[in-house]
Amino acid sequence: DPAKLGYHVMAFVHISLDKNDTEHVHAFERAVLAIPQVLACHRISGRYDHQLTVVAEDLGAYGIFAEHYINGLPSVKEVYTSFVMREVKAPANPPLPGA
């Protein structure tokens, strides 16, 4: 439970890269792997290239985090952040086949 660890803000951060060649995408993904507050990173289709799930202590801490980490990631062109208001269903294991 992130809240029990002091993380009261969860955000989905959508990122577009300005360079999408293999070298730049891998550099971005390696940089993301080194950030503990990023709980998940998915390469996605559509308008954005990646979606991150990020936790922070509060909105002020998220602002500082975004300024120092998100905006400094390699090849970042655009960032769109949505904050979680309430978690309805938490990530879980996928259902067993045939269940």
Side-chain angles (χ1 to χ4, degrees):
D1 183 358
K4 289 182 181 178
L5 297 173
Y7 297 111
H8 300 287
V9 169
M10 182 178 287
F12 298 113
V13 182
H14 294 85
I15 297 175
S16 291
L17 302 179
D18 63 358
K19 298 175 184 166
N20 282 304
D21 59 89
T22 302
E23 179 184 339
H24 287 92
V25 169
H26 287 171
F28 171 85
E29 292 175 352
R30 279 192 306 274
V32 166
L33 289 172
I35 305 171
Q37 294 91 334
V38 176
L39 302 183
C41 174
H42 297 93
R43 193 179 313 176
I44 59 174
S45 64
R47 177 178 177 172
Y48 298 99
D49 300 308
H50 289 81
Q51 176 181 304
L52 311 180
T53 304
V54 175
V55 292
E57 293 86 352
D58 54 36
L59 286 175
Y62 177 81
I64 293 167
F65 168 81
E67 184 177 323
H68 288 100
Y69 290 98
I70 300 297
N71 296 338
L73 289 169
S75 301
V76 169
K77 177 174 82 174
E78 181 182 355
V79 177
Y80 178 84
T81 302
S82 297
F83 294 100
V84 174
M85 304 300 288
R86 178 171 60 101
E87 187 171 71
V88 177
K89 184 176 181 180
N93 293 326
L96 295 173

